[in-house]
Amino acid sequence: YNQMLLKEVNHRVKNNLAFLKSMFYLKEKYVDEPETKEILVEFQNRLQAMASVHEQLYRVDNENGMVNLRTVLLSNMREFESVVQQKGRQVIFQVKGETEFVKMEHGVPIMLIINELCTNSVKYVQTGEVHITVEFSVKEGQLVIEYSDSGPGLSIDQYENSNGFGLRMVRLMLKQIGGTAILKGDRIIFHVQL
């Protein structure tokens, strides 16, 4: 009974997030300012990232509350890609790694982190085509997520001191799940204790 109730809750959460996303989408169509449009699209993408985790939780016979990170990531990236293509940009995603399962408490923050990094990639990569690679693995009881794009990369100072909403949210979500970040050239590597 509890499992059925939990699935129903996740289904309703996913539907409510989809409803909110639709409201942002409708508002975006009636806004003329490019900066405001961009903010509304970013919020739509954030809502989609959260909804994709909840969708997997109610669609799968999932008694232990674990999220298939690869499935959720691929689903979310397809949605992100379609939104970006509507803006005339081309995004090429590559997901590497075996299927890894994480707790729901980690799944939503991880998807929000990746979504924010993708948003920054599209915003700051100046070429028409954006290449994004997300690779994940488990090493010594830690989930390791490597994110890279075809842009110039982030400096440690940019990552640690940015007052932009996106990177502040990345730092906050990472702190929430007890993770750490390392910057290596064009890659940002996250470690999360499982």
Side-chain angles (χ1 to χ4, degrees):
Y1 173 77
N2 287 342
Q3 190 58 32
M4 188 172 70
L5 187 59
L6 186 59
K7 277 186 164 187
E8 181 60 26
V9 167
N10 281 309
H11 180 67
R12 288 180 186 218
V13 168
K14 182 250 175 199
N15 286 346
N16 287 336
L17 291 169
F19 177 73
L20 288 171
K21 181 182 171 202
S22 296
M23 289 175 53
F24 279 110
Y25 175 78
L26 290 172
K27 185 65 177 172
E28 174 206 348
K29 297 303 168 198
Y30 294 101
V31 171
D32 293 327
E33 292 181 20
E35 187 175 303
T36 303
K37 277 183 171 291
E38 186 175 323
I39 289 168
L40 292 170
V41 168
E42 287 174 7
F43 275 105
Q44 289 174 57
N45 290 335
R46 289 180 186 117
L47 290 167
Q48 179 60 40
M50 291 185 283
S52 62
V53 172
H54 287 282
E55 180 176 21
Q56 187 197 18
L57 285 172
Y58 85 80
R59 285 190 182 267
V60 178
D61 185 20
N62 193 337
E63 292 184 19
N64 56 8
M66 300 296 277
V67 176
N68 180 327
L69 190 58
R70 183 178 187 79
T71 301
V72 173
L73 182 59
L74 288 170
S75 170
N76 196 55
M77 294 301 100
R78 280 191 295 272
E79 180 72 23
F80 186 87
E81 188 175 26
S82 72
V83 169
V84 170
Q85 284 177 344
Q86 291 172 10
K87 296 173 77 174
R89 298 290 304 271
Q90 181 71 25
V91 179
I92 297 170
F93 287 106
Q94 184 173 17
V95 178
K96 297 179 179 179
E98 299 299 316
T99 298
E100 299 297 343
F101 289 88
V102 296
K103 297 175 193 170
M104 186 181 90
E105 299 84 46
H106 288 130
V108 172
I110 288 169
M111 289 313 303
L112 286 171
I113 288 168
I114 292 171
N115 183 75
E116 290 305 317
L117 294 173
C118 290
T119 299
N120 279 351
S121 293
V122 170
K123 192 183 289 186
Y124 296 112
V125 172
Q126 300 301 314
T127 64
E129 195 170 85
V130 182
H131 293 263
I132 296 173
T133 302
V134 180
E135 184 172 355
F136 49 92
S137 59
V138 174
K139 295 177 184 164
E140 300 174 9
Q142 288 192 333
L143 175 66
V144 179
I145 303 167
E146 292 191 33
Y147 180 93
S148 62
D149 64 25
S150 53
L154 275 175
S155 70
I156 290 175
D157 184 58
Q158 287 172 315
Y159 175 77
E160 291 178 350
N161 299 315
S162 172
N163 288 324
F165 181 79
L167 284 178
R168 282 195 341 241
M169 190 157 106
V170 167
R171 292 190 306 265
L172 180 66
M173 293 289 106
L174 197 57
K175 183 178 179 182
Q176 178 182 322
I177 58 177
T180 58
I182 300 169
L183 279 74
K184 280 189 176 177
D186 65 343
R187 297 177 297 149
I188 183 164
I189 304 168
F190 301 101
H191 293 260
V192 179
Q193 190 68 40
L194 293 177

